[in-house]
Amino acid sequence: MNDPIFKAKIFITSNGIDWRINSSKLMYGGYFLFLTIAIVVSQVNLSSNIDYSIRALLISILGLILYAAYWGSQEKENKNGKLEGELEICVAGIRINNTSYSWLEIDKFKFRIFQVVDEMLFSEIYPIARYYGGPAYSQGVDNFIEFKTTDKKVKVFFQLENPTHKVEFRRIVRLLFFNNLLDLSTIYLGLNLGYEAIQELKKAKIKYLEDQQSKFSS
């Protein structure tokens, strides 16, 4: 039976300025305009007609801010970059597009996983955070692996497409730990495991090694 392979699309971030309008930019732009106009108006005397126009403008800006808040609560993340290339992780090593690295070449490996595609970025425990500006739903591309080789440091962001895809990643890093390719601290930091989960992981490794030994013995 072949060892499992985790595969994911690579996300390449753009170094340029993202000029696209989103709910967050619209909201903070609205705050800035509202406060600027309110401060200026408070320092000068205006005729009644101009004063009425300014009030109407401020009400319009407040409406824009409220619209941005609603938009942010529905908005899907669209980061400045592109999905291009493929990442593979297995017991044999890591492949990034056409470049392969064996675990003997890899040093100081670490990883972090976050939300999958369309998963909410903010906890429902504190939903007001969504109204500071969106997006509310993830693009699933904040996940990354990072390691050093003899001549360079490598960091790759990748997309987790759904909860099953995240489970597949968890399985492959557990398998790497069981095969002594990753240490325990790398796993519990990357997966953000609590004490009980760490103990369960240790027990699972012992069982895995016992099962492997019994296979070779039979």
Side-chain angles (χ1 to χ4, degrees):
M1 182 177 176
N2 294 329
D3 289 324
I5 300 175
F6 172 81
K7 297 182 180 183
K9 296 174 185 175
I10 294 171
F11 181 74
I12 302 172
T13 57
S14 175
N15 293 324
I17 298 173
D18 187 2
W19 297 104
R20 296 171 300 175
I21 296 295
N22 60 17
S23 63
S24 182
K25 290 177 182 176
L26 186 62
M27 178 174 285
Y28 286 102
Y31 286 147
F32 176 78
L33 281 174
F34 186 90
L35 291 173
T36 301
I37 293 171
I39 291 170
V40 171
V41 168
S42 68
Q43 302 300 315
V44 297
N45 293 319
L46 301 173
S47 66
S48 59
N49 288 337
I50 296 177
D51 185 55
Y52 175 81
S53 298
I54 293 296
R55 289 176 185 272
L57 178 59
L58 290 175
I59 290 171
S60 298
I61 293 173
L62 279 176
L64 193 66
I65 292 170
L66 290 173
Y67 170 74
Y70 172 76
W71 180 15
S73 70
Q74 308 294 320
E75 186 182 9
K76 292 185 179 182
E77 191 175 45
N78 187 15
K79 291 204 167 193
N80 194 20
K82 60 182 177 178
L83 289 167
E84 185 174 272
E86 186 177 58
L87 167 70
E88 287 188 0
I89 304 174
C90 64
V91 172
I94 296 173
R95 184 178 68 81
I96 302 168
N97 295 322
N98 295 321
T99 305
S100 296
Y101 305 90
S102 72
W103 287 104
L104 292 175
E105 301 174 75
I106 295 169
D107 187 31
K108 296 183 178 179
F109 179 88
K110 65 178 181 179
F111 67 91
R112 294 291 185 276
I113 56 171
F114 299 95
Q115 293 86 0
V116 304
V117 173
D118 290 340
E119 184 178 351
M120 188 171 285
L121 286 166
F122 298 104
S123 170
E124 282 294 343
I125 297 172
Y126 191 48
I128 190 67
R130 290 181 295 170
Y131 302 107
Y132 295 159
Y137 299 96
S138 177
Q139 191 179 352
V141 294
D142 291 323
N143 316 285
F144 69 87
I145 61 167
E146 181 179 315
F147 58 89
K148 289 184 178 181
T149 64
T150 54
D151 60 345
K152 62 181 177 180
K153 180 179 179 180
V154 179
K155 186 173 185 177
V156 178
F157 288 91
F158 61 93
Q159 185 180 62
L160 289 176
E161 298 176 4
N162 49 53
T164 301
H165 201 198
K166 181 183 277 191
V167 170
E168 289 174 3
F169 182 83
R170 289 176 179 272
R171 283 175 179 165
I172 198 67
V173 294
R174 282 168 58 95
L175 184 61
L176 295 173
F177 170 63
F178 294 165
N179 283 273
N180 297 317
L181 297 171
L182 296 181
D183 58 32
L184 181 60
S185 63
T186 299
I187 300 298
Y188 71 68
L189 289 173
L191 297 179
N192 193 27
L193 300 179
Y195 176 79
E196 291 185 2
I198 292 171
Q199 302 312 309
E200 289 298 322
L201 185 62
K202 289 179 179 178
K203 292 176 183 177
K205 180 175 182 177
I206 293 171
K207 186 176 187 306
Y208 173 83
L209 294 174
E210 289 174 348
D211 290 344
Q212 293 297 109
Q213 188 174 7
S214 64
K215 285 180 184 178
F216 286 121
S217 300
S218 60

